[in-house]
Amino acid sequence: TLSLVDSAGTADDDFYTIILVDTADTFFHPILHYGASNVRGSDLAGELVLADANPFSAYRGPSPPAGIPGTESLLANYEWIVAKQEAFVEASDLPTIVSNINF
């Protein structure tokens, strides 16, 4: 369990990387739907606006590929992954996402 608020009610001020991934069981998964680094714990404990979090991969809504049999009834399996960073990550050190599929 990730706790972003201590017993005194103070929000964590460390940095986190957050990603939203669809991990459905198909040949073209996983699919990255969002990714951001250097998100403060205090922002995660409140109301985080994804566009304001300086994402390295902007939000990509659900869009099943057309023309592949079976995908029209495919159930998505979205998972938020939150990882605490050791320190602030410079923009030049953030990943470059070329494809959101099978990243």
Side-chain angles (χ1 to χ4, degrees):
T1 302
L2 178 65
S3 177
L4 300 171
V5 179
D6 65 18
S7 59
T10 305
D12 179 344
D13 221 18
D14 290 325
F15 293 104
Y16 292 83
T17 294
I18 59 174
I19 61 174
L20 176 61
V21 180
D22 180 355
T23 61
D25 189 20
T26 69
F27 69 91
F28 54 85
H29 282 85
I31 296 174
L32 178 64
H33 283 272
Y34 178 80
S37 290
N38 302 324
V39 178
R40 290 204 177 267
S42 55
D43 292 337
L44 290 174
E47 290 188 22
L48 175 66
V49 176
L50 296 181
D52 294 343
N54 195 19
F56 57 80
S57 179
Y59 176 72
R60 175 181 184 259
S63 57
I68 299 177
T71 58
E72 64 278 350
S73 62
L74 179 68
L75 294 177
N77 185 37
Y78 293 100
E79 297 182 37
W80 281 103
I81 300 171
V82 179
K84 190 173 187 176
Q85 298 172 200
E86 291 183 15
F88 184 88
V89 179
E90 295 298 330
S92 60
D93 294 330
L94 291 174
T96 301
I97 305 298
V98 177
S99 171
N100 290 36
I101 298 173
N102 289 319
F103 66 98

